[in-house]
Amino acid sequence: MRRSLRILHLYPELMNLYGDRGNVLALRARCRWHGIDPRVETASLGARIDYGAYDVIVIGGGQDREQRLVSRDLAGDRGHALAAAVEDGVCLLAVCGAYQLLGKYYVTAGGETFPGVGVFDLVTEGGDGRLVGHIAVAAEGGTLAGFENHGGRTTLGPVARPLGKVLWGYGNNGRDGTEGAFYRNAFGTYLHGPLLPGNPWFADRLIALALERRYGEAELEVLDDQMDLMAHREVIRQSRLDARRGSVRQPGKETGASPR
Amino acid sequence: MSKLLIKLCRALGYAGSNLPGRVALFLYPRILARLSGQCRSGAVLVTGTNGKTTTALMLTGILNRAGLTVVHNRSGANLISGITATYLQACDWRGRMKAAIGVAEVDEASVARVVREMPVRAIVVTNFFRDQLDRFGELDHTVTLVGRGLELLGDKAWALLNADDPLVAGLAGARRGPITFYGVEADADPGEHHPAREIRYCSRCELPFRYLAVTYGHLGHYRCPGCGDGRPVPDIAVTGIWQGGAGAGSLLAVRTGRGPVELAVPLPGMYNVYNALAAVACSDALDLPWQAVEEGLAAFTASFGRMERLAVDGREVLLILVKNPAGFNEVIRILLRDGDCADVLIAINNKYADGTDVSWLWDVDFERLVAGARLDRVTVAGTRAEAMAVRLKYAGLDRGVTMCSDLGDALRVALQGPGPGGRLYVLPTYTAMLGLRDAIRRLGYARRYWEA
C-alpha cells in the first residue's frame, strides 16, 4: 500500500517572512523521495478547517501586522480546534511569528498584545533591538542550524520544554540559552533558513512522527543528503563566526549593542 | 582646511569606497552640504529597494544629453559616506564643484540624513520589496525611514512616486509639496500569481489589497476591498510595451502631461520598464527636453552587472545581478522568454552587503525555472554555494549541477559549457558580482568598473 500524508500550509500568503514556504517544499519533496504521496493543501483567514484530519500543519513567520490578523483568526473556536488537534498528536511546525502566537500571548515592542493559542506554555515580549544572525542548536536527536531574526523575547513557563539548547546564537531570548519549544508532536522555533531543508534529519523526524500516528509504523529509507549536510555544516560554521565576531552574542550576554 | 581634506581624501580615495567620505565627514561634518550646494541645479535622489542604480544611471544619461554635467555615485556606494566620497572626487583641489547637478542613489535608511544635507530638487521612490531583512529589520520600518525623508523635503521639491506599489504610493500622505505618480497600464498580467508574492494592506482598513492586475511582484492595480481606496491614477504612465528577449530591450508607449511619446529602452524585463518610467517622470519634473529623454534612454548601456553583456573567451556573458526574490523572479521570467537557456552560473554570497541571511532563495520560484528552461549545465558558487545547490535540488534539478566555492574556478568551469558564440547567464549577488568581475578581469576581458 502506498502511504500518503496530508500536509496543511496555514496562512501561506500572510506568514512567510523569510522563505518559510521552503518547509512545505521540503516536506513535499522528501515525502516523494521516501515513496510517500504528499497531499499539500493551503488555508487562510476565515477558513473552516478540520485540523485533526491532517498529518502535518506548517505555519511560518510574519510581521506584527500579519500576526495581528492571524491572532484574531485563531481567537476562539479556531484556536481551540488547533490546540485539540495537537493534543490528538497532529504534527505541527510553527516558525518565528507563528511560534509566538502558539504561546500564551505576545506583547509587541509597541505595547500591543496579541493573544496566543496556548499550545506552548510560554510568553513573548518585544525587546530593544532585534536578535539577528546564524544560529546552531543542540536538539534531541541532532543539531539544528538556521538563521534567526526576531524582536520578540520568549520566556518558557514551568511546563514548557525547549526544543534545544543554543550552541551559538540567541534563541528564545538571548539570556537563558534555550531555543524553541515542543509539546507532543508540535514544534515551535525561531529558526528560519528555512528550517526543514536546512536540517533534513528533522524534516524526516516530522515525517516519521506523522507516519507513526497514521499508520502505526514509520520506516524511512536513508536519502542521499550529502549536499544538504554540507550546507547545514556551513550554517553551523557561520553561527560560530557570528558569535565570535560579536554580531551575535552568546546566551547570557545579551547586553550591549543590538546586532544592527 | 577643506583643501587639505580633499588632498587627503584623494590620497585615500578610490571609486566606490566609503572610506574617504567617512574620514571627510568626521573632520568636516558639513562637507556634503557645502559641496552639493554648489551645483546650480541642485540634486536628484533615487531610493527604494530595486532599480536605484539603473534608474539613477538612466537619469544621468538623460541629463548629460540635456547638456548638464552630472556628479553621480555610479559605483553604487549609496550611504552618506559614499555620496560624500563621490562629491569629493568630483570637486577640484580647492573644493569647487564643476557639475551642474547631482544624481544620487540613496540607501533607504540614509534618505532622511541625505535630504537634510543636500539641495534636493526631486526624489524618486521606486518600490519596496523584502530585501536584506537582517540589515533593515521588517519592511514597514524601511518604509517609515523613507517617509521621514519625504517629510523633510522642501515644499518646492518633487516627489516621484510609483503608483503601482501601495507602500510607495502611500508615502504621498507625508508630503506637502508636488507629487508625480508614475505607473504601468499595459502588459499587466491578471493571471500572474507567484506563490511567495508579498501582500500589501490598506493602511486604513488593515485589509489585504485586491489586485485587478499584477505587473511584477506586488506591483500592479490594487484596491482595498473595504474602503475602495487604491492605486492613484498615474500622471505619467506606460500604456504599451513591446518586449524582446534577454539580449534585447523594450519599446514603450508613454502617456505624459505633454502628450504621448514612444521610447526605446535597451534593457529587457518589466522592472526595467519601471526604471525607465521613473527616470522619464523625473526628467519631466525637471523640465528636460524630450529629445534628451529619448536619446538618453536609447543610448543607455547596462550599469554595473545589471543585464551587462560582456564578451569573454568568445562567449557572450550576460551578467545579471540578483539580490532579492522579487528581482530574481523577474530575471527568471526573462530567462524563460529566451527559451534555450542552457548554461547558467548562480553565485550566492552572504556577506554584509549581500545580506547575510539566504533564506530568501526559498521565495524565488526556481520550480518555474527548472520546469521551463533547458538548464543543461548549472554551476553554483559563492560563500553559500551549497545552500543554492540544495535549493535547486528541491526545485527538481539534481543532475548537471556543479559546485565551486571559488568564483574564479566557477567561471572557468561555467565558460566551458557554451560553445564558441554561445551564451552564459551569470546570476550573482552583489559581492559575488564584484568577485566575478575581478575574475573576468584577470582573464583579461573587462576593465575595472570605475574605469569603464
Side-chain angles (χ1 to χ4, degrees):
Chain A
M1 183 195 70
R2 191 176 163 88
R3 298 173 295 182
S4 71
L5 286 178
R6 287 184 74 187
I7 298 164
L8 177 65
H9 190 186
L10 261 184
Y11 310 114
E13 80 294 6
L14 290 165
M15 302 292 274
N16 179 45
L17 194 46
Y18 307 90
D20 295 321
R21 67 192 279 268
N23 290 321
V24 177
L25 295 178
L27 282 176
R28 174 157 52 193
R30 296 189 75 81
C31 276
R32 286 197 185 122
W33 298 335
H34 283 301
I36 302 162
D37 180 22
R39 300 190 184 158
V40 179
E41 292 165 49
T42 60
S44 193
L45 301 179
R48 292 163 66 97
I49 306 163
D50 177 11
Y51 296 104
Y54 292 91
D55 299 296
V56 188
I57 299 173
V58 181
I59 324 177
Q63 307 190 75
D64 286 358
R65 193 197 294 260
E66 287 89 17
Q67 282 183 283
R68 184 183 301 123
L69 293 170
V70 170
S71 166
R72 273 186 215 147
D73 195 56
L74 286 174
D77 290 350
R78 214 169 278 130
H80 294 316
L82 183 59
V86 170
E87 285 296 337
D88 193 36
V90 171
C91 285
L92 172 69
L93 175 65
V95 177
C96 201
Y99 166 48
Q100 295 168 340
L101 291 182
L102 287 186
K104 291 181 165 166
Y105 60 81
Y106 168 37
V107 184
T108 68
E112 193 178 350
T113 300
F114 301 147
V117 174
V119 163
F120 302 124
D121 175 28
L122 54 86
V123 300
T124 304
E125 289 177 348
D128 203 17
R130 299 181 69 83
L131 310 180
V132 185
H134 294 88
I135 173 170
V137 177
E140 199 186 307
T143 306
L144 294 173
F147 197 97
E148 60 181 326
N149 187 346
H150 51 106
R153 271 70 165 174
T154 295
T155 311
L156 302 181
V159 187
R161 293 159 73 191
L163 181 58
K165 183 176 158 290
V166 176
L167 296 171
W168 297 281
Y170 294 103
N172 279 332
N173 48 50
R175 291 183 304 270
D176 64 14
T178 65
E179 154 52 30
F182 75 97
Y183 174 71
R184 299 183 72 91
N185 290 338
F187 301 88
T189 181
Y190 275 118
L191 270 65
H192 301 282
L195 178 76
L196 297 184
N199 300 279
W201 71 268
F202 192 74
D204 281 358
R205 189 167 154 207
L206 280 187
I207 293 171
L209 287 170
L211 287 175
E212 185 76 49
R213 173 172 170 269
R214 178 158 294 264
Y215 297 102
E217 58 88 30
E219 223 170 294
L220 290 179
E221 277 176 43
V222 177
L223 302 177
D224 175 9
D225 290 327
Q226 216 183 328
M227 186 64 73
D228 313 55
L229 290 177
M230 284 171 72
H232 174 82
R233 277 195 291 270
E234 177 60 21
V235 176
I236 297 177
R237 196 182 71 83
Q238 296 210 5
S239 75
R240 208 179 308 145
L241 290 178
D242 282 358
R244 193 178 306 157
R245 234 181 262 132
S247 75
V248 171
R249 258 141 252 280
Q250 292 296 297
K253 287 187 234 163
E254 198 212 308
T255 50
S258 73
R260 47 176 302 255
Chain B
M1 171 65 196
S2 60
K3 288 179 208 169
L4 196 68
L5 186 64
I6 286 155
K7 275 187 187 153
L8 176 72
C9 292
R10 286 274 160 82
L12 285 170
Y14 41 91
S17 163
N18 292 316
L19 181 67
R22 229 179 287 162
V23 171
L25 284 165
F26 176 74
L27 295 172
Y28 183 20
R30 296 286 294 157
I31 183 126
L32 179 58
R34 179 80 190 273
L35 292 175
S36 61
Q38 295 175 45
C39 297
R40 70 184 143 79
S41 297
V44 176
L45 309 184
V46 183
T47 193
T49 311
N50 287 342
K52 289 189 286 280
T53 305
T54 299
T55 303
L57 198 61
M58 285 174 167
L59 256 175
T60 300
I62 293 168
L63 287 163
N64 280 331
R65 287 279 160 162
L68 295 162
T69 45
V70 182
V71 49
H72 169 209
N73 58 339
R74 63 175 295 161
S75 67
N78 59 18
L79 305 175
I80 193 153
S81 49
I83 297 167
T84 305
T86 304
Y87 274 91
L88 276 168
Q89 285 218 320
C91 69
D92 68 13
W93 63 277
R94 286 188 292 189
R96 284 195 297 227
M97 295 292 304
K98 273 185 302 212
I101 187 166
V103 173
E105 65 157 281
V106 187
D107 179 81
E108 296 91 293
S110 305
V111 172
R113 207 171 151 206
V114 170
V115 167
R116 246 180 251 126
E117 298 295 323
M118 291 173 61
V120 178
R121 277 184 65 199
I123 179 166
V124 179
V125 187
T126 59
N127 48 56
F128 291 111
F129 285 101
R130 287 195 299 233
D131 180 32
Q132 299 193 23
L133 292 162
D134 56 314
R135 268 182 63 206
F136 288 116
E138 296 179 351
L139 187 65
D140 293 345
H141 178 63
T142 310
V143 179
T144 310
L145 290 176
V146 172
R148 219 167 278 161
L150 285 184
E151 278 168 35
L152 292 170
L153 209 57
D155 285 354
K156 284 194 189 122
W158 284 87
L160 294 309
L161 302 180
N162 188 341
D164 296 350
D165 184 334
L167 288 179
V168 176
L171 290 172
R175 188 73 199 109
R176 287 156 302 158
I179 296 173
T180 294
F181 286 110
Y182 61 91
V184 172
E185 314 216 305
D187 207 25
D189 181 357
E192 174 75 10
H193 184 85
H194 181 261
R197 201 176 83 200
E198 300 168 43
I199 52 170
R200 297 291 178 257
Y201 302 85
C202 170
S203 58
R204 198 175 314 145
C205 311
E206 292 277 320
L207 289 169
F209 282 117
R210 231 171 250 156
Y211 280 78
L212 309 169
V214 173
T215 47
Y216 98 88
H218 64 268
L219 271 53
H221 300 187
Y222 51 88
R223 186 179 294 156
C224 171
C227 65
D229 248 25
R231 171 182 184 258
V233 178
D235 306 289
I236 179 162
V238 168
T239 52
I241 306 172
W242 295 269
Q243 291 200 64
S250 310
L251 190 66
L252 308 181
V254 184
R255 187 189 74 219
T256 78
R258 302 188 223 170
V261 287
E262 271 189 18
L263 297 166
V265 182
L267 287 179
M270 185 56 92
Y271 58 82
N272 283 314
V273 170
Y274 276 101
N275 293 337
L277 180 61
V280 171
C282 188
S283 306
D284 192 30
L286 296 175
D287 261 329
L288 301 176
W290 277 122
Q291 201 186 341
V293 175
E294 265 168 48
E295 290 174 5
L297 276 184
F300 183 82
T301 46
S303 49
F304 196 39
R306 276 79 174 178
M307 301 282 170
E308 203 176 0
R309 296 163 80 172
L310 302 168
V312 182
D313 204 15
R315 278 89 173 152
E316 183 193 11
V317 169
L318 205 57
L319 203 55
I320 314 176
L321 179 75
V322 291
K323 50 180 193 171
N324 48 39
F328 210 142
N329 283 328
E330 274 308 293
V331 170
I332 285 174
R333 256 164 91 172
I334 293 166
L335 295 195
L336 290 178
R337 200 173 294 135
D338 267 18
D340 66 336
C341 158
D343 289 276
V344 180
L345 164 60
I346 307 178
I348 305 296
N349 272 359
N350 74 328
K351 297 178 181 174
Y352 182 73
D354 306 296
T356 54
D357 183 6
V358 295
S359 304
W360 63 273
L361 291 175
W362 292 84
D363 285 328
V364 179
D365 205 354
F366 289 108
E367 283 74 13
R368 192 170 172 184
L369 178 69
V370 170
R374 267 175 64 191
L375 303 182
D376 296 337
R377 290 159 296 264
V378 176
T379 312
V380 294
T383 56
R384 294 308 300 279
E386 304 91 348
M388 189 59 231
V390 170
R391 179 67 188 95
L392 288 173
K393 173 183 154 180
Y394 279 95
L397 189 72
D398 48 0
R399 264 169 300 177
V401 179
T402 311
M403 196 177 76
C404 294
S405 40
D406 182 77
L407 292 173
D409 292 345
L411 185 69
R412 269 188 295 279
V413 168
L415 278 171
Q416 286 166 12
R423 177 187 279 175
L424 171 68
Y425 294 88
V426 179
L427 316 180
T429 61
Y430 184 73
T431 69
M433 185 181 64
L434 300 183
L436 281 167
R437 290 189 63 105
D438 225 35
I440 292 172
R441 186 178 51 83
R442 268 184 273 122
L443 289 171
Y445 294 98
R447 287 177 295 173
R448 290 204 291 188
Y449 64 89
W450 54 86
E451 297 162 355

